[in-house]
Amino acid sequence: MAVGALCWALRAARQVLPLPCPGQVRGYYVDWRMLRDVKRRKLAYEYADERLRINAIRKNSILPKELQEVADKEIAALPRDSCPVRIHNRCVLTSRPRGVRRRWRLSRIVFRHFADHAQMSGVQRAMW
Amino acid sequence: STSSVLSTEKDKSAVSKDGTTEGASKRQEDTAGSAKQKLLDIIGNMKVEVSYRKKLQELKAKKQAMSRPEGMDSENPQRTTEGIQRGKPLNPELVKAASAVASSFPLNKKQTESELLAQLRRHEETTDKQRKGGTVNIRNVISEMTVKRQSPAQRGVRISNRISLDLDEDGQRIRPERFSSQSFDSRSLKVGKRLNIFTKASTEPEHALKTVSSPTIWDLEFAKEIAAITAQPPRNGFEEMIQWTKEGILWEFPIDNEVGMDDDAEFHEHIFLEKHLEGFPKEGPIRHFMELVICGLSKNPYLSVKQKIEHIDWFEKYFEEKKEFLQEI
C-alpha cells in the first residue's frame, strides 16, 4: 500500500521538446517503468529494418560462417533497447505488468472496473 | 354610343354600296395605297387590341373623317368610313349576299342590312384579333399578373407534404426542403429585370491580395479561433458521424480497401526485381543469397516498391563494406 502510494506520488514526468507548438509540453506517464517501456518500443521501431536484415544474414546456410559471425557482432553492438524482445505489454492505464488482457491493453482490475460500469463496448458478465 | 356610331357609318356604307358595290370595291383596290388610307388602316388595326384604346382612336378617326369629307369628294368618305370601320373591308360577295337577304326581308331593309354587315364585321374582327393581337393580349395579361398567382397552389402542396411525411429519427424533414427549393426554382429567381442594386465584386484584386500576403502566425491563430468557435457540438448522430469521418476515426463508406495506399507501381515492378541485382557478383553465395531475398520480396504484398529497393540497396552497401573481408576468405 505504501509502495503504491509512493508510486502514485512519483509520477513520471516526460518532456517532449520537438513539438510544433513553441512552448514546453509535459505529459505524464503512469510511472518510470512505463516510460522505459515506451522508449524501448520507439527504439525497436527505429532499428526494426536493420535487425531484420542482419538476422537474415545470420540465420543463413548459404553465406560463409565468417560473415555470419561478423553479423553477430554487429547486431550485438546495436543498442540493447532496440530489440523487440525487451518490450513488455503493460497495462495502459495502471502500468501493471501482469494480468494484462492483450485485446484491451488493460489489467484485469481496470477491465473489470470499466466492464461493471458498462463502459466496455460489447462486454457483458458471463452467465451460463 | 359606339353601336349607334357603327350603325350610322354602316348606313352610309350600305347606301353607297346599294348603288355601287362593285365600283366601291374597285375604288378600294385602286386607292389602297393612298397615305390617308394607310393611316386609317393603321388606326383601324390599332383599334383591334384594347377596347378603351379603340374608343379613343375611334373618336380621333371620327374627327378626322368629319373634317375630311367637308372638303372632299363623295368617294373619300366612303373609304374613310370603310377604313375606320375595321381594317379589312368585307368581301363584296358577302355584302351582296347581305343586301339580297335584307331585300328579301319585308321589314326595314336598311336596318337589317346594317345589322348583318355589323355581324360580319364582328366576325372579321375576331379573326383579325386571333391572327394579330391574340398572342399580344395574352402576353399583356401575363405581364400584368403578379408572381403571387402560384402561391395558393404551392401552399396547398406544402401543407399536404407536411401532413403526409413521416418524421425522421432526428425530427428533421429533408423532403419539404427539397420541395420548397423546387418551388423556388419554378419561380426562377433569375428571371426578370435586373435592379442593379449590387455591383459585381471584381475577382482580380482578390487574387492579387492572396499572392501578396503569406499566411502569418496571427492569421493562422485567427483561423484556428474561428474554427474553434464555429465548430458547434453535433446536434445528432449523423453530424457526429460526419465529424468522426472528417477526423479519420470513422472510415468512409462504401469501404475502399486501398485507402491511404497510393501504390503507383505496376505488378511487374514488384515481382521482377532482378534488374536491381546489377551491383552484385554474378556467381557465388552472395548472388544465391540475394536471389532468395528477391524471391521473398516479390511475394511480399505489404512493402512498397521503394521499400523493396531500399532493402536491396542496404544489402549492396553491406556487402561492399565487407568486400575486403570476403576476399580474404
Side-chain angles (χ1 to χ4, degrees):
Chain A
M1 283 295 291
V3 173
L6 274 173
C7 285
W8 275 107
L10 294 169
R11 275 189 133 199
R14 184 179 124 267
Q15 208 176 38
V16 181
L17 288 170
L19 265 189
C21 65
Q24 284 183 355
V25 174
R26 286 168 188 265
Y28 292 100
Y29 284 107
V30 177
D31 55 6
W32 292 95
R33 281 170 281 174
M34 193 191 240
L35 216 191
R36 278 183 266 146
D37 200 56
V38 167
K39 281 186 199 170
R40 279 177 208 133
R41 281 168 197 264
K42 280 187 185 169
L43 272 183
Y45 181 80
E46 278 173 31
Y47 286 93
D49 292 336
E50 246 184 87
R51 287 193 95 94
L52 173 77
R53 287 155 191 170
I54 294 169
N55 271 327
I57 292 168
R58 282 172 66 222
K59 313 285 180 180
N60 218 331
S61 56
I62 302 160
L63 295 173
K65 287 185 186 177
E66 291 83 2
L67 195 61
Q68 284 173 5
E69 283 165 18
V70 167
D72 286 339
K73 288 175 195 172
E74 275 198 12
I75 203 167
L78 289 175
R80 198 165 273 190
D81 276 348
S82 64
C83 60
V85 191
R86 288 172 70 90
I87 294 167
H88 193 78
N89 293 324
R90 302 178 83 88
C91 171
V92 165
L93 293 179
T94 55
S95 181
R96 197 164 191 274
R98 296 195 172 102
V100 180
R101 297 300 294 178
R102 193 162 205 173
R103 186 172 166 184
W104 296 277
R105 303 178 186 177
L106 292 176
S107 84
R108 55 179 177 83
I109 302 154
V110 178
F111 173 83
R112 201 162 167 275
H113 176 267
F114 284 134
D116 286 341
H117 287 73
Q119 284 161 10
M120 297 295 281
S121 172
V123 175
Q124 196 189 23
R125 273 186 163 266
M127 187 162 43
W128 73 97
Chain B
S1 61
T2 51
S3 58
S4 62
V5 166
L6 276 173
S7 60
T8 50
E9 287 173 355
K10 278 158 194 171
D11 283 337
K12 286 182 197 171
S13 67
V15 164
S16 63
K17 278 179 186 176
D18 281 338
T20 58
T21 50
E22 291 173 358
S25 64
K26 281 183 189 171
R27 281 167 204 162
Q28 286 164 22
E29 286 167 5
D30 291 337
T31 58
S34 67
K36 289 169 194 169
Q37 187 67 30
K38 275 183 191 171
L39 268 174
L40 293 165
D41 281 336
I42 289 159
I43 291 161
N45 289 333
M46 280 159 64
K47 280 185 193 177
V48 175
E49 294 173 5
V50 185
S51 61
Y52 184 66
R53 285 182 203 168
K54 272 186 211 171
K55 286 180 190 176
L56 283 172
Q57 284 162 358
E58 273 179 30
L59 290 168
K60 284 182 196 171
K62 267 183 248 163
K63 283 178 193 171
Q64 287 173 2
M66 292 303 289
S67 61
R68 275 164 205 169
E70 288 171 1
M72 286 179 199
D73 300 332
S74 60
E75 295 176 358
N76 283 328
Q78 292 170 18
R79 286 164 223 154
T80 54
T81 50
E82 283 157 7
I84 289 157
Q85 265 148 24
R86 295 291 135 107
K88 285 188 203 173
L90 292 173
N91 278 330
E93 294 174 358
L94 287 172
V95 173
K96 276 187 194 173
S99 61
V101 166
S103 61
S104 65
F105 271 104
L107 298 172
N108 293 328
K109 290 182 188 177
K110 289 180 188 176
Q111 275 191 5
T112 50
E113 206 178 326
S114 67
E115 282 169 11
L116 284 167
L117 287 169
Q119 281 205 348
L120 284 169
R121 287 188 200 283
R122 272 174 226 156
H123 284 301
E124 292 278 343
E125 277 173 39
T126 52
T127 51
D128 284 341
K129 273 186 197 176
Q130 280 167 6
R131 280 174 215 169
K132 294 174 193 176
T135 52
V136 174
N137 283 332
I138 290 163
R139 277 176 212 161
N140 287 336
V141 168
I142 288 167
S143 65
E144 284 167 13
M145 274 162 54
T146 55
V147 186
K148 283 187 184 178
R149 188 189 168 204
Q150 295 177 5
S151 59
Q154 282 183 347
R155 273 179 215 157
V157 167
R158 281 176 214 156
I159 288 160
S160 66
N161 284 339
R162 278 175 199 162
I163 291 162
S164 62
L165 279 169
D166 298 329
L167 290 173
D168 293 337
E169 297 171 359
D170 311 313
Q172 282 182 349
R173 298 164 193 173
I174 300 162
R175 285 182 209 173
E177 290 168 10
R178 283 182 203 164
F179 268 114
S180 62
S181 71
Q182 282 174 9
S183 69
F184 286 130
D185 288 338
S186 67
R187 286 186 192 180
S188 67
L189 297 164
K190 293 171 191 175
V191 160
K193 287 184 189 173
R194 286 207 149 200
L195 297 169
N196 290 325
I197 295 168
F198 304 106
T199 53
K200 261 192 183 179
S202 56
T203 53
E204 289 174 4
E206 286 179 12
H207 288 300
L209 283 168
K210 277 174 191 174
T211 51
V212 165
S213 65
S214 62
T216 62
I217 295 166
W218 304 114
D219 292 340
L220 290 169
E221 284 294 319
F222 187 58
K224 281 181 197 172
E225 243 187 86
I226 288 166
I229 288 159
T230 54
Q232 296 295 322
R235 295 179 293 177
N236 51 41
F238 288 116
E239 290 194 7
E240 200 182 24
M241 283 202 275
I242 290 164
Q243 209 175 329
W244 284 346
T245 312
K246 281 181 194 170
E247 286 170 25
I249 296 166
L250 205 61
W251 286 348
E252 287 183 16
F253 294 92
I255 290 174
D256 184 18
N257 279 325
E258 294 174 10
V259 165
M261 195 178 89
D262 298 323
D263 203 11
D264 302 325
E266 300 282 317
F267 73 98
H268 56 85
E269 289 174 45
H270 277 102
I271 291 165
F272 302 113
L273 298 161
E274 280 187 353
K275 56 186 172 183
H276 302 294
L277 281 187
E278 285 164 10
F280 293 93
K282 289 199 178 178
E283 287 180 356
I286 291 172
R287 182 79 185 192
H288 187 36
F289 172 74
M290 286 316 294
E291 278 171 13
L292 287 173
V293 166
I294 276 160
C295 178
L297 282 176
S298 67
K299 295 180 188 177
N300 191 333
Y302 301 107
L303 295 178
S304 67
V305 177
K306 265 191 184 178
Q307 286 170 319
K308 290 180 185 176
I309 294 166
E310 274 176 27
H311 200 81
I312 295 164
D313 288 340
W314 185 91
F315 275 111
E316 207 178 316
K317 266 192 214 171
Y318 184 82
F319 287 125
E320 272 191 34
E321 286 169 13
K322 311 294 169 183
K323 248 188 188 178
E324 303 131 10
F325 183 76
L326 288 166
Q327 278 161 8
E328 285 169 24
I329 301 165

